[in-house]
Amino acid sequence: MRLDPLTLALLLCLQLTALALALTAITGWQRSSAMRWGLAGIWTQLGGWFAVLSIPWVGHPGSAAAYALTLASFACVLQGVQGWLGPRPLLRLAWILAPLAPLLVLLGPDASWARRGVPDLLVSLSLVLLATGLLWPSAGEWQRQRWRWVLALPIALLVLLTLWRAVLGFGPAAQYPVLRSGHPLALAILVLGNLSTVLGALALLAGWRGEAEAALREAARSDPLTGLANRRELERRALEMIQLARRHGDTLLALMIDLDHFKQVNDRHGHAQGDAALLLMAALLQQGARSGDCLARIGGEEFVVLLARSEVQGAQAFDQRLRTLQREQAPGALGFALDHSAGWTALRAEDRDVHDLLKRADAALYRAKSDGRGCLRGEP
């Protein structure tokens, strides 16, 4: 097969179509917002190349559509990257650039700089924004994702080639390397476009996989209903807090909290309202806690709170804050009142792990229930 510009462009369109269909099938309908933006970028890029192929027949409108779809595809990919890596700089500018190039082609003066040079400069700038968004620092484990560099490298090369093409666009029209010509620069852009397409698809898959793995890790650590720590995560966090408290000679309190008459809530109002009560309770616990505290749901209507660097008064103050929040918010949010019983204990020198704390806190909780519920009791 003779790899002329038309053949390369057709192969690129075929490749984009296959990759877009494959990624759509692999990620399924429940894909994340970031992956949807990435797929939108591939489909939009495909439309841009079809517009390039249409230029010999439709002229300037085809060129305008090609620029518009190409720039929009870069903005879509950058929007998806933001969904994975956090806020990206100048994302809004990437969306502003998308309509500028086609407007110049359609409405600008009939000169090469307006219909070739400046639009290619805008494409180069959009590619620079995309590469910057990929390499811009991000928090946590995303900082170590190597797929960002895999995709950024061919984009950086495309920036150089597009800038070269833009410079030629300010000169005579005969010297401008249109993509359907046999100019070496046009061939290089097409070949690198094919490479970027493959690497871009691989990068999207890597990002989607990383997102899925992070979601699985989070699910393994959190309660599926409330989002608070589950029992396993409580044990891990408690071990860290116990070690830290002993290293610095600090105190550590554990509260075990149980919603009063929760079975009656389910019987009278239904399990949906019971779940709503648990969700509200989790939200109120978060409102009453400090940044260093640990909140967990360990089953049913039972919650655990670990209060770092807190004396006895800290347990009482937290309990009072929680009861105040319940009185203020539960009737309006649920249509009925919420109350709880609670027991607390403090870390002792002989405690081996969180289970020793929870055993005493549970005994204190039992005392609170025996004393009529709706109250806080300390360790025996």
Side-chain angles (χ1 to χ4, degrees):
M1 184 189 304
R2 182 166 166 261
L3 293 180
D4 56 16
L6 179 59
T7 303
L8 284 172
L10 288 172
L11 283 175
L12 181 56
C13 290
L14 180 61
Q15 188 171 263
L16 278 168
T17 302
L19 288 173
L21 290 173
L23 287 175
T24 302
I26 290 172
T27 57
W29 292 107
Q30 298 300 320
R31 67 184 71 92
S32 66
S33 174
M35 192 62 192
R36 284 196 293 270
W37 279 112
L39 282 172
I42 291 181
W43 284 110
T44 310
Q45 183 72 16
L46 176 61
W49 281 106
F50 276 122
V52 169
L53 293 175
S54 72
I55 292 175
W57 295 278
V58 300
H60 291 321
S63 179
Y67 279 115
L69 292 169
T70 299
L71 289 166
S73 73
F74 299 152
C76 285
V77 174
L78 185 55
Q79 187 83 45
V81 168
Q82 176 170 276
W84 284 325
L85 305 181
R88 301 292 91 184
L90 303 176
L91 173 61
R92 187 173 299 176
L93 177 59
W95 284 110
I96 293 174
L97 292 178
L100 290 182
L103 286 176
L104 276 171
V105 173
L106 291 174
L107 305 178
D110 190 11
S112 60
W113 66 267
R115 292 185 170 175
R116 296 187 181 95
V118 175
D120 282 345
L121 280 178
L122 295 178
V123 172
S124 299
L125 178 57
S126 185
L127 285 168
V128 169
L129 295 179
L130 179 53
T132 302
L134 284 166
L135 301 180
W136 194 262
S138 57
E141 60 193 36
W142 290 105
Q143 182 67 29
R144 303 185 295 273
Q145 296 296 322
R146 285 173 288 187
W147 60 264
R148 303 161 61 183
W149 294 92
V150 171
L151 184 54
L153 180 59
I155 289 175
L157 294 176
L158 275 174
V159 170
L160 297 177
L161 295 179
T162 310
L163 278 175
W164 183 7
R165 190 167 181 253
V167 171
L168 295 177
F170 283 93
Q175 297 180 4
Y176 183 71
V178 295
L179 293 179
R180 61 184 179 274
S181 70
H183 194 283
L185 181 56
L187 292 174
I189 290 175
L190 287 167
V191 171
L192 195 56
N194 275 273
L195 177 62
S196 300
T197 298
V198 175
L199 294 179
L202 292 175
L204 287 177
L205 274 178
W208 175 69
R209 177 185 174 184
E211 182 182 37
E213 290 176 347
L216 287 174
R217 286 193 294 271
E218 181 62 27
R221 294 194 297 257
S222 60
D223 172 62
L225 176 63
T226 63
L228 301 180
N230 58 17
R231 187 179 291 271
R232 178 181 296 180
E233 178 66 6
L234 171 65
E235 293 174 353
R236 187 191 68 81
R237 288 282 309 280
L239 180 60
E240 294 177 351
M241 295 176 74
I242 290 172
Q243 292 174 344
L244 193 63
R246 286 175 172 163
R247 184 180 304 130
H248 298 286
D250 292 329
T251 56
L252 177 64
L253 301 185
L255 279 79
M256 185 168 284
I257 300 171
D258 191 283
L259 279 177
D260 289 336
H261 308 296
F262 184 69
K263 185 178 183 302
Q264 296 180 15
V265 172
N266 283 328
D267 292 343
R268 292 178 182 176
H269 305 283
H271 289 281
Q273 280 295 89
D275 288 347
L278 293 173
L279 284 168
L280 178 62
M281 184 65 175
L284 299 182
L285 286 169
Q286 291 171 324
Q287 292 177 37
R290 302 167 301 175
S291 59
D293 298 336
C294 176
L295 308 173
R297 179 187 175 212
I298 59 173
E301 65 273 23
E302 289 187 338
F303 299 84
V304 170
V305 181
L306 300 181
L307 300 175
R309 297 183 176 182
S310 184
E311 302 292 342
V312 175
Q313 296 83 357
Q316 296 169 345
F318 179 86
D319 183 72
Q320 287 303 314
R321 287 199 302 273
L322 184 59
R323 295 184 191 280
T324 300
L325 290 169
Q326 287 173 337
R327 288 193 296 269
E328 291 174 349
Q329 300 186 34
L334 302 173
F336 53 87
L338 277 185
D339 201 358
H340 70 271
S341 303
W344 69 268
T345 187
L347 178 67
R348 297 178 181 176
E350 66 270 18
D351 288 337
R352 296 164 298 178
D353 51 36
V354 71
H355 298 290
D356 293 332
L357 282 162
L358 295 185
K359 186 175 181 179
R360 295 196 304 276
D362 189 50
L365 174 61
Y366 182 79
R367 284 184 57 201
K369 291 181 178 180
S370 300
D371 289 347
R373 300 179 185 270
C375 58
L376 171 70
R377 293 292 181 263
E379 58 186 343

